[in-house]
Amino acid sequence: MQTTTGRSTELARLAQQFRLEVLDVLHKKGTGHWGGASSVADLLTHLYFERMNIRPDDPKWEERDRLVLSKGHASAMLYTVLAHRGYFPVEEVQTFRDLNSRLQGHPCMNKTAGVEMSTGALGHGISVGLGMSLASQLSGKNFWSYVITGEGCLDEGQSWEGIMAAAKFKPKKLALLVDYNKVQLDGAASEIMPLDPLDEKFRAFGWRVAPKVYDGHNHDEIAEAFTWLDSEEAGPSVMIFRTHKGKGVSFMEDNHKWHGAPIDDETYAKARPELEAGLAKLEAK
Amino acid sequence: MATAKVSDKQVSMRDAFGQALVEIGKTKPELVVLDADVSSSTKTGLFGAAYPDRFFNVGVAEANMTDVAAGLATCGYRPVISTFALFLALKCTDQIRNVICYNNLPVVIVAGYGGLSDSFDGASHQALTDIAIMRALPNMRVVVAADGREAEEALKEALEHDGPTYIRISRNPAPLLEIDEPFKTGKGRILREGKDCTIATAGVPVPMALEAAEKLAAEGISAEVLELHTIKPVDTDLLKKSVGKTGAVVSAEEHNIYGGIGGAVAEALSRSTPAPMEYVGVADTFTESGPYDTLLTKYGISVEAITEAVKKAVKRKA
C-alpha cells in the first residue's frame, strides 16, 4: 500500500464532496445518472484540479488541454467539477436539466463553458479526441486531448474505428482514460458485453497501454498513471482505471440498478449519511 | 432572371471538386480533408498528393471520419469530409446530427456519387434518401450541384460558412451550364422564364428541365425553370414569386419523391401559394444496376417525365 500524500487526500476529499453535491441535485431533480457520475468523480477531479492545463477564466484559450467526456450521462459530475473549478457559478448546478438551463441532460458545448464536446449518444469521444489531437499536432500547439469512456462507449463499433485510426496516425498527445466500473445499464458488463481482456485488445490495436490497471478512486494511483503517461512521448496511450459504479454508497456500488434510476427520498435518506461519513473520514486525515 | 445555356463541354463534378480542393489548399492552411478509402473515386486524393500532412485517409470507417473532422473543427481547422453520398447520409447520420449539426461545426460534407450516378454498382450504392435526411437536421445547409462549376462554387462558399454544409455531387461527366447569374448558396435562379408552370429542380436534372421547357414551348406551354441548388435553406421568396405567377409547379430531382426537393417545395408553398404540383423523381422504390442514362429514364427521371408532369400540372389548374 502506498503512502497517501496530502494532495491526494485533498483531491479525494474534493471528489467526495462533489459526489455529495451530485447526489443532492439528482435527488432534488428526480432525474440524472448517479452510477456513472460517482464512478468518474475521482478521474474528473484529478484531471481538472491537478492535471489539465486550462484557464477557467478564458475557456476558449487555444492552447488549453481538452477533455471529452464520452460517457456524457455523467454530466452532473462534469458540471459540478467545472463549476467548482470556476467555469460558472456553483449555484447554477441546481438548474441541472431544468427548462432554459445551460446545463443540459447531457453535456452541450455550445451552452456550457468548459464543455469541449457535446456527448450523450455513446461512442463518439475517441474519434473526436483523435481529431483534437491531430489538430494539436498539426498546429504545433501541443495540448493534450483526454477522452473518458466507460464500457458503454467501448461497446460501440465506432470506438474501435477510432482506436484503429489513432494507431495509424499516432498522435502523441491523445490519452484515453477508461472508467472501468464493469457495470452497464442493464447489468454487469460480463453479462451484457464482456470487454476483457481489455488491455490486450488495446495492445493488439497498436496502442501504448499502461502497465497496470489503476485504482480509479485512489489519487496516488491516478497520479502514478499520469507519471506513466508522461514517461514517454509515444501516443496514443490508454490507462484503464478500475472504478465502482455508485461509489461511496454501499448499497449502490456495483449495482446496475443505480445507473440512472431516480434517487427517491427513502434512498436519499440512506445514501447521504454514507457519503457524509466518507467525507468526514477524509477530512480527518 | 438569368440566362442559361447547356454547353458542349463535359466535366465531372468530382474532378472539379478535387481540383478545387487543391487550389483552395494553396491559400487556406486550415483546410484539411478526410476520406474513407475512396479518395481515388471522390478525387480528394488530388489534395492528399498535394498536401499529405493535411489529408487523412481513415479507411472504411465513415462514422469515425465524421467525428475526427468534428474534433479538428473545434480546434480551428476547416475539414472537408468526402465519400459516397449513400454512406455519408446513412452510416454517419448519428455523427452528422449529434456532433456536427448539434454543435454547428464548420465541417463541409461533400457527398460524391449522388443519386443514381453510381449506376452499375446498383441499389446498395445509389443515394436517393440523403437529401431527406440532411434536410431534417437543424443547422445543416443542403446544396445539390448541377455541374462542375457549381460544385466548386458551393465548396468555396461552404468553407467560409460558420456551420455545416452538405454538398451533393455526381460521378459522371456532365455538361457545364453557362448561367450568367452568380451562384449564391441559399438563392435560387430562374434559368428560363415562363408563365404556365414552374419546374423546380437541382442537380443532374437541370439540363433535362431546360430541354423539357424547350419542347413544351413548341407545344404552346410556357414553363419556367427554377434552379434550387440550395435545398436548405430553400429560396421560398423566389418559389412564391414564380409559382404565384405560373400557378403550377413540378419538382424534378434525382432522389426519392418523398422528402427531397419536392418535399421542400411543397412545404415552402403550401402555406402561402398552394398550387397544383407534380413530382418527378424515383417513386419510392429500390433501383438497380445499369447504364446511368437508361437507369435515370427507367426510374422516372427524364426530359419526357418532366414534360408529362408539366402537362399534368397545367391541366390541373382551375
Side-chain angles (χ1 to χ4, degrees), chain A residues 81-94:
Chain A
V81 169
L82 289 174
H84 280 277
R85 190 67 178 80
Y87 284 92
F88 50 86
V90 172
E91 311 84 74
E92 198 174 334
V93 179
Q94 297 306 312

Side-chain angles (χ1 to χ4, degrees), chain A residues 42-96:
Chain A
D42 293 288
L43 292 179
L44 283 176
T45 303
H46 202 103
L47 279 161
Y48 279 97
F49 284 83
E50 185 69 8
R51 171 74 190 178
M52 283 167 64
N53 186 25
I54 45 175
R55 293 177 180 172
D57 55 350
D58 183 11
K60 295 284 174 197
W61 175 47
E62 288 189 1
E63 289 170 41
R64 71 193 183 279
D65 289 342
R66 269 73 167 176
L67 172 89
V68 177
L69 181 65
S70 195
K71 45 172 288 179
H73 50 281
S75 52
M77 187 56 70
L78 179 64
Y79 297 150
T80 302
V81 169
L82 289 174
H84 280 277
R85 190 67 178 80
Y87 284 92
F88 50 86
V90 172
E91 311 84 74
E92 198 174 334
V93 179
Q94 297 306 312
T95 69
F96 176 58

